[in-house]
């Protein structure tokens, strides 16, 4: 069964971050889409069981979709020291 979580808008202050998805039951297969709607670069941090933390950069006005398994955590971080970052995050998980 798949679970599509509600699309989450995000606004991040300069050089700040936030957790947007956590699965503390051991992780699940997840597809993550990040849409960056501003002039800053957003760093996507994904914690994958037995692989550690994987980072991706989403440049200004771009998007990224990735699939990983099993995912414990997804966080977003604004890399710009002056401007805020805005956009949307969508997470879909598979539960068997």
């Amino acid at each position: 069964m798949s679970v599509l979580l509600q699309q989450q808008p995000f606004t991040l202050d300069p050089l700040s971050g936030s957790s947007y998805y956590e699965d503390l039951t051991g992780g699940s297969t997840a597809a993550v889409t990040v849409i960056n709607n501003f002039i800053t670069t957003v760093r996507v941090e994904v914690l994958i069981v037995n692989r550690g933390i994987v980072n991706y950069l989403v440049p200004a006005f771009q998007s990224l979709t990735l699939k990983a398994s099993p995912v414990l955590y997804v966080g977003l971080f604004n890399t710009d020291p002056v401007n805020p970052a805005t956009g949307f995050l969508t997470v879909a998980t598979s539960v068997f």
Side-chain angles (χ1 to χ4, degrees), residues 10 32-45 55-66 76-77 79 85-86 88:
F10 65 84
V32 178
T33 300
V34 177
I35 302 168
N36 184 1
N37 289 337
F38 204 63
I39 61 173
T40 60
T41 298
V42 174
R43 180 169 52 97
V44 181
E45 184 176 272
N55 291 291
Y56 299 91
L57 293 177
V58 183
F61 305 108
Q62 300 292 317
S63 65
L64 168 76
T65 299
L66 61 101
L76 300 178
F77 298 89
T79 62
T86 61
F88 295 94

Side-chain angles (χ1 to χ4, degrees), residues 11-69:
T11 300
L12 301 170
D13 291 330
L15 296 178
S16 70
S18 185
S19 169
Y20 284 88
Y21 172 77
E22 296 174 0
D23 180 348
L24 302 180
T25 63
S28 59
T29 300
V32 178
T33 300
V34 177
I35 302 168
N36 184 1
N37 289 337
F38 204 63
I39 61 173
T40 60
T41 298
V42 174
R43 180 169 52 97
V44 181
E45 184 176 272
V46 181
L47 177 57
I48 304 169
V49 176
N50 295 329
R51 284 195 50 207
I53 296 173
V54 180
N55 291 291
Y56 299 91
L57 293 177
V58 183
F61 305 108
Q62 300 292 317
S63 65
L64 168 76
T65 299
L66 61 101
K67 178 186 171 236
S69 179

